[in-house]
């Protein structure tokens, strides 16, 4: 992790991409875009990667507006993750990152417009993506070719000028630090559940699933409802 911190400090985008490859599972354009947007935002805001003490204090906050590959590039580069409570996901469907200092709630929002990125894709790569990934009907040879072209596009995007982004200074309403809640035991399944996620039925505590209540989850298309007996 110290090496990754050093790579970010040195703005070594290629090195960061190799870390991101392991984290994300492959290299693709929007993974690289998340890295590039993060480096731009960090430079504009004058902050470094969230380090060990910073992750405990949640000193910076990253807000992403989609749950695409872009978000993984942001997590690797900024050190702001869902698990350390420094990543906020807004289900807006936009390729944008807002990086914020908790001390002042001043931040930088970096937005990437997909139409402006077209020139960074090798010829035929987006058509191949539609066939292999979107339509799920590509051959093994086409899949291999796609990953080759996708990596080429990723490296182009990784080094694109910051002028390709819409960059704006923002003031963000305060976001609470992660509270610590007590747990209680579901009277049906016997598992512990966060107190704020339990409901009472006939005076007995139940987890939302056992109670047949609806609950929210994040899938590929965003935040959706689960449960409710349907």
């Amino acid at each position: 992790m110290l090496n990754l911190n050093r790579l970010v400090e040195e703005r070594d985008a290629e090195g960061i991409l190799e870390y991101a490859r392991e984290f994300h599972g492959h290299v693709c354009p929007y993974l690289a875009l998340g890295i590039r947007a993060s480096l731009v935002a960090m430079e504009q805001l004058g902050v470094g990667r969230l380090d060990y003490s910073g992750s405990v204090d949640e000193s910076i906050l990253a807000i992403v507006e989609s749950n695409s590959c872009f978000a993984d590039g942001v997590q690797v580069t900024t050190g702001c993750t869902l698990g350390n409570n420094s990543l906020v996901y807004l289900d807006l469907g936009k390729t944008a990152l807002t990086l914020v200092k908790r001390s002042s709630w001043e931040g930088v929002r970096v937005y990437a417009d997909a139409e402006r990125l077209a020139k960074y894709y090798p010829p035929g790569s987006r058509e191949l993506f539609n066939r292999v990934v979107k339509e799920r009907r590509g051959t093994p040879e086409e899949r291999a070719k796609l990953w080759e072209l996708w990596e080429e596009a990723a490296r182009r995007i990784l080094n694109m000028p910051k002028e390709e982004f819409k960059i704006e200074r923002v003031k963000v309403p305060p976001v609470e630090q992660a509270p610590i809640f007590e747990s209680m035991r579901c009277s049906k399944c016997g598992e512990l559940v966060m107190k704020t996620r339990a409901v009472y039925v006939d005076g007995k505590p139940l987890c939302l699933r056992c109670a047949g209540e609806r609950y929210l989850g994040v899938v590929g298309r965003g935040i959706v409802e689960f449960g409710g007996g349907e």
Side-chain angles (χ1 to χ4, degrees), residues 209-221:
R209 183 180 288 126
C210 287
E213 296 285 343
R214 290 186 177 275
Y215 49 92
L216 300 177
V218 178
V219 298
R221 56 192 171 93

Side-chain angles (χ1 to χ4, degrees), residues 56-211:
V56 174
D57 298 333
E58 301 171 26
S59 56
I60 63 172
L61 194 69
I63 303 171
V64 294
E65 300 178 20
S66 69
N67 61 321
S68 68
C69 306
F70 178 84
D72 276 0
V74 170
Q75 289 188 91
V76 168
T77 310
T78 65
C80 298
T81 71
L82 190 64
N84 66 25
N85 298 298
S86 294
L87 182 76
V88 173
Y89 163 53
L90 303 181
D91 195 13
L92 294 173
K94 295 183 179 181
T95 306
L97 159 69
T98 301
L99 201 60
V100 185
K101 291 180 180 178
R102 278 191 178 272
S103 59
S104 62
W105 295 108
E106 295 177 347
V108 174
R109 182 176 183 267
V110 178
Y111 163 78
D113 194 309
E115 292 183 356
R116 297 189 63 172
L117 301 180
K119 58 182 172 288
Y120 295 100
Y121 289 84
S125 60
R126 292 195 295 174
E127 292 78 8
L128 194 56
F129 171 82
N130 288 337
R131 185 159 60 255
V132 171
V133 178
K134 190 174 181 180
E135 300 171 8
R136 313 289 184 185
R137 60 183 183 90
T139 65
E141 293 76 19
E142 287 175 325
R143 290 182 66 85
K145 183 61 177 178
L146 173 63
W147 295 126
E148 178 185 327
L149 295 177
W150 236 219
E151 183 146 347
E152 182 181 340
R155 295 188 184 281
R156 293 178 181 180
I157 288 172
L158 198 63
N159 296 289
M160 71 184 194
K162 67 181 180 181
E163 287 75 22
E164 295 285 8
F165 295 100
K166 175 185 176 184
I167 304 171
E168 55 187 334
R169 291 276 174 174
V170 295
K171 186 82 171 180
V172 175
V175 178
E176 69 172 353
Q177 288 185 299
I180 305 299
F181 294 110
E182 295 180 3
S183 295
M184 59 195 316
R185 198 168 296 280
C186 173
S187 60
K188 184 175 181 180
C189 69
E191 296 177 352
L192 288 174
V193 58
M194 188 185 300
K195 192 173 183 179
T196 57
R197 295 296 184 273
V199 295
Y200 283 83
V201 177
D202 296 329
K204 297 179 179 180
L206 294 172
C207 66
L208 293 173
R209 183 180 288 126
C210 287

